[in-house]
């Protein structure tokens, strides 16, 4: 575990020291701040729409951040050959991948914490209330969902050589699942065979990322989700992340490094 | 006594991904042993199979046939690398880290207890004379400084075996001298050093024994003095003769 943590720490340090990380970060904060401070027609209900826009922005930024940061990890290690002195140490390829996963997930988690905190401050200043537990649940489920995204992007970075193609594929897949995932079974019913079975089967196989999208909890100040359900959702995400990581380790162990 | 490095009938093949291209054999039936405390020079022209052999020793490439063991442990086991220090030919390190951070990172990988890490980092930084630049990111270092930082990371775990891939490549004469002094000091401490180099003069000065590889095959192995006496020529002439190079008159 020490090895995995040491590797994760370096990934976090790298992200903190990279300038492109801050560009997205500052852009999101600026847009959130600006949207949050707009006061259209003195209408209080407009705050809800603004919250929706801000949260969408946070979701998009976090997805871009998670995918781009993860997609470049392995290809960059190979291109800059930093993987060689590292794997010449008593580090297994599995530990290496777990370290990368943990580092990317933690770094994205840190960014999420700042995003949600800042967003919470802005909306609390407009609404005169801050339902902290709603924010905690929404942010936690968001972060857990990103764990699945980071894991499959890591798998993609071993399968696809170019980080750009991997990044694009992972982004399209993630957004596709978020938008269409819950409707796949209904769409399948209208298709001829064998597409119907194929699409219906994929409905049960894909990780349903849309389950973690509980933005309405913050937008409409809904009742809290039972904590047991949050725990189950966390287990669901952990299972998918584990499957993707195991697949990544299995593929990576067979790849010669030279 | 068991050899520190034991290679037996090692064969390394690279299969081409393109159809119609034959499998490339990088190393053919290589056998050699390096004893404890020896400084062993691994020589050969480019493409001779030196790096492939080192890649097998470091676990980057699995042997196609034969075996390689370090301290009696199969090189495919990560634990075989616990007592190794490796210096690559180029400076392949995280350039966004400072030398101190890099060394703390590798110390963590080797499970050096946190209480001892600081002292160990200080010790190796002093050895490679980088104390003054310990807080600077590696990207601000000169080539020679980066190579010395590399040497420091190779020594962080106080290894019993050092594998150095052309350690003085690209260094100026002072840099080369410093690296050579460090190798000499390690030799005096009883460490085993296995290194590849194109600098035959340097090999002659530092090494106890050498192996000369050409087209994946071992052409000669023995003490430098014995090889020189046997062929009645300098090490450079012995090397050129064994790799089949005949200078034009």
């Amino acid at each position: 575990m020490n090895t995995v943590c040491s590797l994760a720490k370096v990934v976090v340090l790298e992200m903190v020291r990279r300038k492109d990380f801050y560009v997205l970060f500052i852009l999101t904060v600026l847009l959130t701040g600006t949207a949050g401070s707009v006061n259209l027609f003195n209408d209080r209900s407009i705050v809800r729409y603004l919250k929706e826009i801000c949260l969408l922005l946070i979701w998009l930024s976090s997805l871009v951040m998670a995918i781009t940061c993860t997609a470049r990890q392995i290809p960059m290690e190979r291109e800059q050959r930093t993987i060689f002195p590292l794997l010449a140490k008593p580090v297994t390829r599995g530990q290496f991948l777990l370290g990368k996963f943990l580092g990317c997930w933690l770094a994205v988690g840190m960014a999420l914490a700042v995003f949600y905190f800042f967003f919470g401050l802005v909306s609390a200043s407009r609404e005169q209330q801050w339902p902290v537990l709603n924010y905690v649940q929404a942010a936690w489920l968001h972060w857990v969902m990103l764990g699945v995204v980071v894991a499959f992007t890591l798998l993609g970075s071993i399968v696809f050589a170019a980080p750009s193609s991997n990044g694009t594929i992972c982004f399209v897949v993630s957004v596709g699942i978020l938008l269409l995932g819950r409707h796949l079974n209904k769409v399948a019913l209208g298709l001829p065979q064998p597409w119907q079975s194929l699409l219906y089967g994929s409905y049960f196989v894909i990780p349903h990322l849309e389950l973690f999208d509980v933005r309405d909890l913050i937008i409409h100040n809904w009742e809290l989700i039972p904590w047991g359900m949050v725990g189950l959702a966390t287990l669901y995400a952990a299972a998918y992340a584990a499957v993707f990581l195991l697949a990544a380790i299995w593929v990576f162990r067979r790849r010669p490094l030279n | 006594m068991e050899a520190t490095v034991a290679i037996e009938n090692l064969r390394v093949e690279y299969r081409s991904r393109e159809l119609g291209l034959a499998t490339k054999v990088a190393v053919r039936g290589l056998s050699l042993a390096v004893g404890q405390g020896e400084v062993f020079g691994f020589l050969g022209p480019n493409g001779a199979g030196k790096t492939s052999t080192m890649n097998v020793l470091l676990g980057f490439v699995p042997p196609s046939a034969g075996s390689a063991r370090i301290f009696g442990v199969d090189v495919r086991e990560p634990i075989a690398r616990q007592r190794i220090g490796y210096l690559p030919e180029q400076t392949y390190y995280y350039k966004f880290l400072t030398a101190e951070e890099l060394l703390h990172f590798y110390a963590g990988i080797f499970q050096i207890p946190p209480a001892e890490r600081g002292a160990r980092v200080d010790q190796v930084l002093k050895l490679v004379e980088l104390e003054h630049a310990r807080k600077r990111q590696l990207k601000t270092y000169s080539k020679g400084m980066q190579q010395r930082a590399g040497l420091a990371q190779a020594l962080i775990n106080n290894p019993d075996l050092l594998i150095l891939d052309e350690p003085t490549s690209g260094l100026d004469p002072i840099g080369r001298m410093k690296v050579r002094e460090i190798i000499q000091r390690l030799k005096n401490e009883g460490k085993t050093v296995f290194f590849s180099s194109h600098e035959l003069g340097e090999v002659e000065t530092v090494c106890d024994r050498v192996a000369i590889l050409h087209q994946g095959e071992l052409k000669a192995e023995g003490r430098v003095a014995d090889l020189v006496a046997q062929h009645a020529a300098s090490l450079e002439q012995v090397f050129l003769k064994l790799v089949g190079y005949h200078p034009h008159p």
Side-chain angles (χ1 to χ4, degrees):
Chain A
M1 198 57 198
N2 269 354
T3 305
V4 173
C5 291
S6 298
L7 283 160
K9 193 178 160 191
V10 167
V11 175
V12 173
L13 262 178
E14 185 225 341
M15 291 197 188
V16 168
R17 287 179 186 171
R18 275 183 79 104
K19 291 189 177 64
D20 55 347
F21 190 75
Y22 294 101
V23 174
L24 193 64
F25 198 78
I26 291 167
L27 202 69
T28 307
V29 165
L30 272 179
L31 287 171
T32 309
T34 312
S37 60
V38 172
N39 194 359
L40 293 170
F41 316 117
N42 232 357
D43 182 0
R44 283 183 68 81
S45 66
I46 207 82
V47 174
R48 231 182 275 159
Y49 297 109
L50 293 176
K51 279 164 83 176
E52 201 160 342
I53 292 168
C54 292
L55 277 172
L56 180 69
L57 205 64
I58 291 174
W59 267 72
L60 276 175
S61 302
S62 64
L63 258 186
V64 170
M65 210 177 269
I67 291 171
T68 52
C69 290
T70 312
R72 68 166 179 248
Q73 287 299 320
I74 310 286
M76 203 170 70
E77 285 272 357
R78 296 184 76 147
E79 193 187 310
Q80 298 180 353
R81 302 175 77 87
T82 44
I83 195 168
F84 289 99
L86 185 57
L87 290 187
K89 312 268 184 289
V91 177
T92 64
R93 295 189 189 193
Q95 286 172 324
F96 173 75
L97 285 183
L98 286 177
K100 290 288 175 191
F101 166 78
L102 188 64
C104 292
W105 190 48
L106 283 176
V108 174
M110 282 157 59
L112 265 193
V114 177
F115 280 156
Y116 272 91
F117 180 72
F118 183 73
F119 172 67
L121 276 183
V122 173
S123 32
S125 69
R126 304 297 305 273
E127 291 185 315
Q128 319 302 326
Q129 59 163 336
W130 191 350
V132 177
L133 284 179
N134 290 35
Y135 275 76
V136 168
Q137 280 196 342
W140 171 258
L141 289 173
H142 187 172
W143 188 39
V144 161
M145 184 278 294
L146 287 174
V148 180
V149 174
V150 167
F152 74 64
T153 308
L154 204 57
L155 171 62
S157 72
I158 299 164
V159 177
F160 306 107
S164 53
S165 54
N166 178 35
T168 310
I169 290 167
C170 290
F171 190 75
V172 169
V173 169
S174 308
V175 173
I177 293 175
L178 282 166
L179 294 177
L180 306 170
R182 72 179 82 214
H183 306 298
L184 274 187
N185 55 341
K186 290 169 211 151
V187 175
L189 291 175
L191 290 176
Q193 288 292 2
W195 306 114
Q196 188 185 92
S197 302
L198 208 68
L199 201 63
Y200 207 71
S202 61
Y203 173 77
F204 290 101
V205 172
I206 58 165
H208 284 273
L209 303 178
E210 76 278 3
L211 295 176
F212 300 87
D213 182 1
V214 291
R215 281 176 287 166
D216 288 340
L217 203 66
I218 295 178
I219 297 166
H220 304 290
N221 291 338
W222 281 352
E223 289 285 301
L224 283 178
I225 302 166
W227 287 100
M229 292 300 288
V230 174
L232 277 178
T234 306
L235 286 178
Y236 174 85
Y240 268 101
V243 167
F244 289 126
L245 284 174
L246 284 174
I249 292 168
W250 188 78
V251 176
F252 194 51
R253 280 180 69 176
R254 275 153 186 79
R255 287 278 157 98
L257 286 181
N258 56 320
Chain B
M1 198 174 71
E2 193 162 39
T4 302
V5 178
I7 299 172
E8 280 175 35
N9 284 319
L10 181 71
R11 186 178 175 88
V12 182
E13 292 176 356
Y14 296 112
R15 288 198 188 93
S16 173
R17 285 185 183 177
E18 289 175 42
L19 283 174
L21 283 181
T23 299
K24 186 180 178 291
V25 182
V27 181
R28 302 163 196 268
L30 175 69
S31 294
L32 54 89
V34 180
Q36 197 202 327
E38 267 191 313
V39 178
F40 191 87
F42 203 44
L43 310 178
N46 291 334
K50 303 187 301 291
T51 303
S52 293
T53 307
M54 285 192 167
N55 283 347
V56 169
L57 288 177
L58 295 162
F60 301 155
V61 174
S64 307
S67 69
R69 301 174 84 80
I70 289 176
F71 303 111
V73 180
D74 191 307
V75 290
R76 280 171 286 202
E77 301 291 331
I79 195 70
R81 301 191 283 278
Q82 182 68 34
R83 291 161 65 193
I84 292 181
Y86 166 59
L87 177 72
E89 182 187 351
Q90 300 289 326
T91 52
Y92 306 134
Y93 311 106
Y94 300 112
K95 305 272 164 71
F96 57 88
L97 294 181
T98 65
E100 196 175 63
E101 285 168 342
L102 183 83
L103 295 175
H104 273 281
F105 164 59
Y106 284 129
I109 297 271
F110 279 109
Q111 320 278 343
I112 296 173
E116 293 171 26
R117 270 181 217 169
R120 186 69 199 146
V121 168
D122 290 347
Q123 200 182 340
V124 287
L125 280 174
K126 192 176 174 190
L127 182 73
V128 299
E129 297 172 20
L130 278 179
E131 283 166 302
H132 63 286
R134 62 191 297 160
K135 301 273 184 205
R136 271 168 51 194
Q137 288 185 22
L138 293 184
K139 64 184 171 195
T140 65
Y141 280 21
S142 68
K143 169 88 201 277
M145 287 167 81
Q146 286 188 8
Q147 192 73 342
R148 278 187 280 143
L151 204 51
Q153 66 79 30
L155 296 170
I156 191 71
N157 57 327
N158 194 15
D160 294 313
L161 168 65
L162 268 152
I163 297 180
L164 314 175
D165 193 358
E166 301 189 24
T168 55
S169 151
L171 294 185
D172 62 20
I174 298 169
R176 280 164 193 253
M177 181 61 77
K178 281 187 176 171
V179 171
R180 215 175 295 159
E181 278 171 10
I182 292 168
I183 294 174
Q184 197 66 46
R185 202 179 305 175
L186 293 167
K187 180 184 172 179
N188 295 341
E189 286 174 18
K191 309 280 186 199
T192 309
V193 183
F194 182 94
F195 82 102
S196 75
S197 180
H198 288 300
E199 298 295 325
L200 298 176
E202 178 179 280
V203 169
E204 216 164 352
T205 319
V206 179
C207 292
D208 298 316
R209 282 196 310 136
V210 294
I212 298 174
L213 214 62
H214 182 48
Q215 292 178 342
E217 288 176 11
L218 184 66
K219 295 291 180 188
E221 185 198 350
R223 300 186 70 81
V224 177
D226 293 347
L227 283 177
V228 168
Q230 191 184 334
H231 292 83
S234 69
L235 184 63
E236 187 177 53
Q237 287 165 328
V238 174
F239 176 83
L240 293 173
K241 189 177 157 190
L242 288 171
V243 302
Y245 180 78
H246 303 289
H248 296 294

